[in-house]
Amino acid sequence: MTTDALIDIKGVTHAYQTAEGPLPVLDNLNVSVNEGGFAAVVGPSGCGKSTLTRLIAGLMKPDTGEVWLHGARVKSPRSTVGMAFQNPVLLEWRSILKNVMLPLEIVPTKLTNTQKEDRARELLSLVGLEGFEDKRPSELSGGMRQRASLCRSLVHKPEVLILDEPFGALDAFTREDLWQTMHALRAEEPFTGVLITHDLRESIFLADQVLVLSGRPATTQYVMDIPTDAPRTLDDLYTPEAAERLNVLRHQIEIAQGRASDEGEAA
Amino acid sequence: MVRKFAVPFIAVLVFLGVWEALVWINEWPNFVMASPSDLPAAYSKYWNLFLIMGWQTLWRTVVGLLLAVVFGVALGMIMGFSRTMRDALYPLLVGFNAIPKATVVPIVALLFVGAHDLNTVLIAFMISFFPIAVSVSIGLSTLEPEYRDILRSLGASQATIFWKIALPKTLPEFFGALKVAVTLAFIGTNLMEIVSPHGRGLGALFDSGKTNADYPLMFAVLIALAFLGIVLYYVVVALEKVFAGWAERQPT
């Protein structure tokens, strides 16, 4: 059962138990992301994307199917995962530096306190937060808080970075800034990423593989590979190729929402 | 600095001035309402009693309050972490809180006859643990799931999540409740001291003022109680600044 995929989700089916009976959210879902790859997952609202992140993080177990990370089956949380959410969930009583250092207090590490601090400072300067180390989260803007949250999710050098709509609550300009920050982070930090998003432009700008999930219960409906030959710039979003990709994805989302059929006027 | 100390001080002076003026203008005799100018005489006459009884009231209130903190936090944790326990305990807790504590005083007094310190501490405790338990349980149960997930995904234990996130995040609510509980505990202590005839505490001094028709003494006791209440309240405020000062937003 060995593949070169770092994240391998095989035939996962899951249902939540509710008062009205089981609510199926994932149906025979297959996702595989190579080491160092970055996959974006898009799909209609409430289709089970967040459930997928919780499965990869080991926060819950699927009813059937298997989740594999780096050749090991995931059954419980593993410290090789980093998470960031739409809500930056920084601890208001800690400085930005101490917030970023939080995972290093949990994960077993051989680093000394000084090394931990250096590691956090290095990441903070990478995302442009140099000079804000001693500020409290409440003193920072929304975009800066999200940058700090990204640093926290990477500080323990996780193999897998799980991003659950981390830029969803930001204004358009801040969001584009953060996209570029993500590319800067990827250039410096080796990780395999899964990004949940509602923004198709975000998905093609950041990822090298875009997965479209069908409506609930979600299954993998469409996979688009995006070649990563050159460093991407925001200008790349306004090329004919980008427009073409966005069109295809938009159409796939319409299918997932049940608003268009497969035989329709596929772009 | 001037605003912080001068303004409240002036407010107290204005309050005393209005009180004095009201008594003078209406020509109320002492048995209707004593005036602030009667109080220094009462304090200088009974200063040793004020010290002794004030101390008795103070320490029993503080012990009752500490018990309320320990018990209230424990109860709040149980209700905050378990939905079942929350559903089970809430009606009991609300019902218990709805019982006027004045009616509990004779019951407790009969239950532990003669154990005056214990009785008083018990009433102070019973009247003040409710807000603490409720605020801690709400603080814990409204913790956003993402906070939990951030630590759980790293393999942190429930205890670690509690110490690193749940507890500090609940502190602002806890101190809010503690400010309410402080004044409640004073009410509890005095309830016992006034109703139960043991002759201890400021409540007993108030009672003796009543039986001896020494009206200025009664008012002097009330002011002394208010003073103790203010002192304890600001002790809590100081603790809040130390432990939950981060929750205070800087004015921009």
Side-chain angles (χ1 to χ4, degrees):
Chain A
M1 299 273 289
T2 49
T3 55
D4 52 357
L6 190 125
I7 304 173
D8 207 1
I9 295 174
K10 298 175 188 168
V12 161
T13 298
H14 192 79
Y16 286 110
Q17 299 305 323
T18 68
E20 290 89 43
L23 175 74
V25 282
L26 300 177
D27 181 26
N28 192 24
L29 184 72
N30 293 288
V31 177
S32 107
V33 187
N34 288 338
E35 182 154 6
F38 199 100
V41 179
V42 298
S45 290
C47 78
K49 298 189 293 292
S50 293
T51 307
L52 176 64
T53 63
R54 295 174 60 80
L55 286 171
I56 300 173
L59 291 172
M60 48 188 271
K61 272 182 267 183
D63 291 343
T64 56
E66 294 171 1
V67 180
W68 292 74
L69 280 191
H70 220 154
R73 189 154 171 206
V74 175
K75 288 177 181 163
S76 59
R78 308 155 57 85
S79 51
T80 52
V81 164
M83 291 183 100
F85 307 95
Q86 178 169 343
N87 178 353
V89 287
L90 297 174
L91 312 184
E92 295 291 334
W93 54 94
R94 289 177 172 228
S95 67
I96 291 299
L97 184 70
K98 293 275 178 202
N99 260 290
V100 173
M101 288 167 70
L102 176 72
L104 298 177
E105 296 166 22
I106 315 280
V107 171
T109 167
K110 291 198 187 79
L111 296 182
T112 64
N113 283 336
T114 330
Q115 286 171 318
K116 288 179 187 175
E117 205 178 304
D118 289 346
R119 165 77 181 142
R121 284 182 191 279
E122 169 197 324
L123 275 172
L124 282 169
S125 74
L126 198 58
V127 301
L129 281 182
E130 211 164 1
F132 292 90
E133 290 89 347
D134 298 324
K135 299 271 187 214
R136 290 277 163 86
S138 57
E139 298 173 275
L140 267 59
S141 69
M144 290 160 105
R145 278 202 283 266
Q146 200 53 265
R147 285 170 202 271
S149 171
L150 285 173
C151 291
R152 179 181 59 189
S153 64
L154 285 170
V155 74
H156 55 298
K157 299 187 192 269
E159 286 180 338
V160 177
L161 179 66
I162 302 170
L163 303 171
D164 193 348
E165 290 194 58
F167 316 120
L170 302 174
D171 68 81
F173 299 124
T174 311
R175 197 180 306 165
E176 291 184 351
D177 279 348
L178 268 281
W179 291 351
Q180 282 163 320
T181 302
M182 275 313 296
H183 276 306
L185 282 172
R186 268 193 89 187
E188 298 290 327
E189 298 280 325
F191 60 81
T192 307
V194 176
L195 168 74
I196 308 289
T197 178
H198 275 114
D199 186 333
L200 298 181
R201 290 168 70 238
E202 178 172 304
S203 72
I204 65 164
F205 183 63
L206 290 181
D208 24 64
Q209 184 188 30
V210 181
L211 295 122
V212 180
L213 297 193
S214 68
R216 201 168 59 213
T219 186
T220 324
Q221 176 184 301
Y222 183 81
V223 180
M224 174 186 279
D225 287 310
I226 297 168
T228 46
D229 31 16
R232 292 182 205 177
T233 66
L234 284 171
D235 290 338
D236 296 340
L237 282 175
Y238 301 95
T239 58
E241 292 101 310
E244 173 69 20
R245 287 191 183 118
L246 287 173
N247 249 328
V248 173
L249 288 174
R250 195 172 302 122
H251 180 69
Q252 286 296 331
I253 294 284
E254 282 173 1
I255 295 170
Q257 288 172 326
R259 291 197 284 138
S261 71
D262 245 332
E263 296 80 40
E265 68 287 13
Chain B
M1 242 10 201
V2 172
R3 187 190 288 180
K4 218 162 177 187
F5 293 101
V7 170
F9 186 69
I10 292 169
V12 170
L13 285 185
V14 168
F15 169 76
L16 292 176
V18 170
W19 178 4
E20 185 79 37
L22 265 178
V23 174
W24 274 89
I25 290 165
N26 291 304
E27 295 180 350
W28 281 326
N30 263 347
F31 57 84
V32 175
M33 180 116 139
S35 66
S37 56
D38 298 328
L39 300 183
Y43 284 127
S44 67
K45 194 169 166 194
Y46 301 113
W47 64 271
N48 56 334
L49 284 181
F50 270 99
L51 282 184
I52 296 166
M53 304 219 161
W55 167 244
Q56 287 170 346
T57 296
L58 185 64
W59 81 255
R60 293 191 288 197
T61 304
V62 170
V63 172
L65 195 62
L66 289 178
L67 274 181
V69 167
V70 172
F71 183 76
V73 169
L75 199 62
M77 279 170 64
I78 292 170
M79 293 196 302
F81 283 128
S82 157
R83 254 204 90 88
T84 316
M85 290 310 277
R86 186 153 69 246
D87 292 344
L89 292 178
Y90 241 109
L92 276 176
L93 201 57
V94 173
F96 181 79
N97 194 48
I99 297 173
K101 294 303 168 290
T103 61
V104 183
V105 167
I107 297 174
V108 169
L110 283 176
L111 201 57
F112 306 105
V113 179
H116 189 241
D117 286 338
L118 174 70
N119 289 343
T120 313
V121 166
L122 219 53
I123 293 290
F125 153 72
M126 283 199 274
I127 207 169
S128 59
F129 80 87
F130 181 76
I132 298 175
V134 169
S135 72
V136 170
S137 85
I138 289 175
L140 292 179
S141 62
T142 54
L143 184 70
E144 290 95 327
E146 287 103 329
Y147 280 100
R148 237 173 263 267
D149 287 352
I150 284 283
L151 288 198
R152 267 190 63 208
S153 65
L154 297 170
S157 65
Q158 284 296 335
T160 309
I161 294 173
F162 177 76
W163 285 112
K164 296 240 184 244
I165 292 190
L167 180 77
K169 208 167 160 40
T170 308
L171 279 181
E173 280 105 338
F174 168 77
F175 277 107
L178 196 57
K179 286 182 199 165
V180 178
V182 162
T183 40
L184 283 179
F186 260 110
I187 294 173
T189 314
N190 281 280
L191 209 57
M192 196 62 175
E193 289 171 351
I194 293 170
V195 176
S196 180
H198 287 274
R200 268 183 259 177
L202 286 176
L205 196 58
F206 178 86
D207 210 39
S208 78
K210 201 173 77 185
T211 43
N212 297 314
D214 190 342
Y215 300 103
L217 176 60
M218 292 165 68
F219 280 91
V221 168
L222 295 189
I223 298 299
L225 281 172
F227 175 74
L228 285 184
I230 291 171
V231 168
L232 260 197
Y233 181 87
Y234 280 100
V235 168
V236 173
V237 169
L239 288 174
E240 183 183 28
K241 270 235 153 58
V242 173
F243 291 107
W246 52 268
E248 211 172 285
R249 290 278 189 276
Q250 301 300 320
T252 43

